[in-house]
Amino acid sequence: MTNQKRIFSGVQPTGNLHIGNYLGAIKNWLELQEKYQCVFCIVDYHALTVRQNPKIFQKKILEVAKIYLAAGIDPEKSIIFVQSDVLQHTELTWILNTLTKIPELNRMTQFKEKSERFEKNVNVGLFDYPVLMAADILLYQTDIVPVGDDQTQHIELTKILAKRFNKIYGPVFKIPEGLIKKEGARIMALDNPMKKMSKSSTNPANYLALTDSPEIIRKKIKSAVTDSGKEIKLDLQKPAVSNLLMIYHLLSQQPIQEIEKKYQSKGYAEFKSGLAEIIVEFLKPFQEKFQELGKNEDYVKNVLSEGAEKAQALAEETMKKVRKKIGLIN
Ligand code: ATP
Ligand code: LTN
């Protein structure tokens, strides 16, 4: 177990988890948990950088836990826990804050984008978001961070901070690497193929939620934006159709060319209805498990509390070294 590579990743309990979150992140976790020591977090402190409704926040946190479990993350193999249950995350964030330069955070595209989107609440937490993420990763001596491609910049900063700490205080942190798959790392929005599918979008037609009913899936796919022309093929000039084709390919496991061939002389309508059925079929077993877990919330809470205990032990091991190197009284 000890020389096994460690994997860490997380999802924010905001909005409705969508097929982009699944294909860009969670799907890859399933393969990784078979081989490596995996730690999967529900990053509730990150979610607080955008205003959350306290009355439903806890429900959202448990929902992500149920999604992890229903998707096949196995608590016998992987650690599943909630970020705020392990206080070392905020402790390390503070220490890393003292090593982070303001221009390094000013450069972050997610900060710029979210500052525009939530202009009335450009809070210090939103600015500091990448440092908390670096703390998440570094606490667990992580080797690999499987994420969608929007997280590349944050992972680069994590590496910089780890190296900077190690250089100033002596070696403590492992330098992690991001794992961003070629396919599925950026699923685009159904209503705008130039923007990534996003669960915090105000338009539900932007995303396919993992919990959408078959009727809703069919409706959303039917109204998804398409490109001019009528050919079904993977083509940079056809971002909307290429995105739909990629979803079809990744969920059905059929090669792209085969799908292109299947719909060669058919129009968008037929392709879309085929795609809707692929999605509905794919989501069926997932949604059944998700419903089942809804009836067994005690089990879910128990998974999280056992996960927190294991995560805490790992995090504390790192923090002991950090405190000592810095010269804090342990
Ligand atoms: P928000 O829009 O609220 O910022 P999000 O949809 O980006 O949320 P996160 O919780 O920030 O979701 O991301 C969880 C994981 O899903 C991350 O690894 C992220 O890179 C990945 N991810 C998010 N959106 C997509 C997408 N459209 N395509 C592929 N992967 C994605
Ligand atoms: N910022 C990430 C969520 C996240 C994360 C992490 C991902 C927070 N901490 C650590 C990987 C590793 C996002 O997907 N928006």
Side-chain angles (χ1 to χ4, degrees):
M1 238 359 214
T2 44
N3 56 8
Q4 215 184 10
K5 279 200 175 13
R6 177 130 347 122
I7 312 293
F8 186 96
S9 197
V11 170
Q12 302 181 73
T14 49
N16 295 311
L17 258 77
H18 52 69
I19 213 91
N21 298 129
Y22 179 80
L23 294 174
I26 300 173
K27 179 171 182 271
N28 305 321
W29 303 358
L30 298 178
E31 294 161 24
L32 291 164
Q33 76 171 345
E34 299 305 325
K35 284 201 235 140
Y36 303 113
Q37 195 181 10
C38 292
V39 185
F40 298 123
C41 187
I42 299 158
V43 290
D44 52 350
Y45 278 157
H46 277 107
L48 285 176
T49 58
V50 169
R51 192 79 67 231
Q52 302 297 330
N53 177 350
K55 292 207 174 79
I56 61 166
F57 197 38
Q58 196 180 91
K59 221 177 101 202
K60 286 295 197 193
I61 295 168
L62 289 174
E63 192 177 289
V64 177
K66 286 190 280 171
I67 285 176
Y68 283 4
L69 293 167
I73 303 298
D74 179 352
E76 300 287 318
K77 295 177 183 156
S78 303
I79 297 176
I80 304 174
F81 77 104
V82 179
Q83 186 183 37
S84 64
D85 278 343
V86 179
L87 300 179
Q88 285 83 347
H89 288 248
T90 42
E91 185 184 2
L92 183 57
T93 301
W94 182 256
I95 289 162
L96 295 177
N97 273 340
T98 67
L99 299 180
T100 310
K101 297 169 188 178
I102 287 173
E104 286 173 327
L105 295 181
N106 255 332
R107 274 204 287 279
M108 294 290 154
T109 48
Q110 182 180 292
F111 173 65
K112 288 188 226 168
E113 190 254 324
K114 288 208 169 158
S115 308
E116 277 169 27
R117 199 143 48 113
F118 305 99
E119 60 181 359
K120 295 215 170 74
N121 185 20
V122 184
N123 60 77
V124 177
L126 193 62
F127 188 61
D128 204 29
Y129 180 114
V131 183
L132 176 58
M133 177 161 163
D136 295 343
I137 296 168
L138 298 178
L139 267 182
Y140 298 92
Q141 304 294 348
T142 302
D143 295 280
I144 298 170
V145 189
V147 279
D149 86 340
D150 59 324
Q151 298 303 310
T152 309
Q153 228 185 359
H154 293 161
I155 292 175
E156 284 314 304
L157 178 73
T158 303
K159 287 157 86 169
I160 290 172
L161 295 180
K163 287 180 191 160
R164 192 172 293 158
F165 183 100
N166 289 351
K167 190 159 169 229
I168 297 173
Y169 295 111
V172 170
F173 297 121
K174 202 170 240 181
I175 313 300
E177 288 299 332
L179 176 68
I180 294 150
K181 287 275 174 104
K182 253 196 0 245
E183 291 185 335
R186 196 174 182 81
I187 298 295
M188 308 313 277
L190 296 182
D191 60 346
N192 179 356
M194 305 319 282
K195 280 197 163 162
K196 80 167 186 114
M197 190 177 277
S198 167
K199 61 182 146 68
S200 55
S201 167
T202 44
N203 180 13
N206 168 295
Y207 54 79
L208 288 168
L210 294 171
T211 49
D212 277 345
S213 68
E215 293 69 42
I216 292 184
I217 299 277
R218 291 187 186 108
K219 225 160 84 196
K220 285 186 177 176
I221 291 293
K222 206 169 176 181
S223 60
V225 170
T226 45
D227 310 289
S228 55
K230 54 181 187 186
E231 246 183 315
I232 318 284
K233 67 169 187 181
L234 203 64
D235 183 342
L236 282 178
Q237 305 303 320
K238 292 177 142 284
V241 170
S242 297
N243 187 45
L244 297 179
L245 201 51
M246 188 51 77
I247 298 174
Y248 195 124
H249 160 63
L250 291 169
L251 293 183
S252 69
Q253 316 224 32
Q254 293 174 38
I256 301 263
Q257 282 117 318
E258 231 169 72
I259 309 167
E260 287 173 342
K261 216 163 132 206
K262 185 168 172 185
Y263 291 101
Q264 210 170 25
S265 51
K266 298 177 180 149
Y268 286 153
E270 207 162 325
F271 169 64
K272 280 178 158 184
S273 76
L275 171 61
E277 292 321 303
I278 294 283
I279 301 169
V280 167
E281 270 315 293
F282 169 80
L283 287 178
K284 206 169 148 201
F286 165 83
Q287 292 183 347
E288 278 166 12
K289 277 191 228 145
F290 183 80
Q291 294 294 340
E292 210 39 52
L293 289 161
K295 293 182 214 140
N296 206 350
E297 213 143 81
D298 285 346
Y299 166 75
V300 180
K301 286 186 175 160
N302 194 41
V303 165
L304 293 176
S305 79
E306 282 181 7
E309 214 173 293
K310 290 183 205 157
Q312 251 161 32
L314 296 173
E316 183 55 18
E317 237 178 79
T318 300
M319 276 319 294
K320 277 210 169 74
K321 292 183 197 157
V322 169
R323 294 183 204 113
K324 194 163 170 208
K325 288 280 188 205
I326 293 183
L328 296 172
I329 298 170
N330 261 297

